[in-house]
Amino acid sequence: MNVYPNPFSDVTNLEFTVANSAAVTMDVLNMLGEVVMTNDFGTLSNGSHRTELDFSSIEAGLYFINLNVDGVTSTTKVTLTK
């Protein structure tokens, strides 16, 4: 999983690769562990995928992006500046 730019203001890109066709979901959590954004991508085919994440309605701060691919979760920390 790659998030760029990071830090960012309002919008960033999420890139990830799926090895085999799999169900993919994403949750963004604040530092208190509260979910502030979620996305169910459904079942994606194998290969590289990219999506734009819009944080414009969320306060500046540190967040964790949890990407779940077929039951396996990867986490990365991002910084939102305003």
Side-chain angles (χ1 to χ4, degrees):
M1 171 176 36
N2 185 30
V3 178
Y4 63 92
N6 185 22
F8 62 96
S9 177
D10 293 335
V11 178
T12 191
N13 296 288
L14 170 67
E15 284 188 341
F16 57 94
T17 301
V18 176
N20 299 303
S21 179
V24 179
T25 59
M26 178 204 71
D27 291 318
V28 177
L29 290 78
N30 63 19
M31 294 300 288
L32 300 174
E34 300 166 331
V35 176
V36 296
M37 183 187 305
T38 188
N39 195 340
D40 185 345
F41 296 105
T43 301
L44 298 178
S45 60
N46 64 319
S48 296
H49 300 273
R50 183 185 78 78
T51 189
E52 188 175 89
L53 303 178
D54 184 355
F55 282 74
S56 60
S57 64
I58 299 174
E59 295 181 21
L62 297 175
Y63 294 88
F64 295 98
I65 298 176
N66 290 342
L67 187 69
N68 185 296
V69 179
D70 210 20
V72 177
T73 301
S74 299
T75 302
T76 192
K77 183 171 65 171
V78 296
T79 304
L80 171 61
T81 61
K82 293 284 183 170

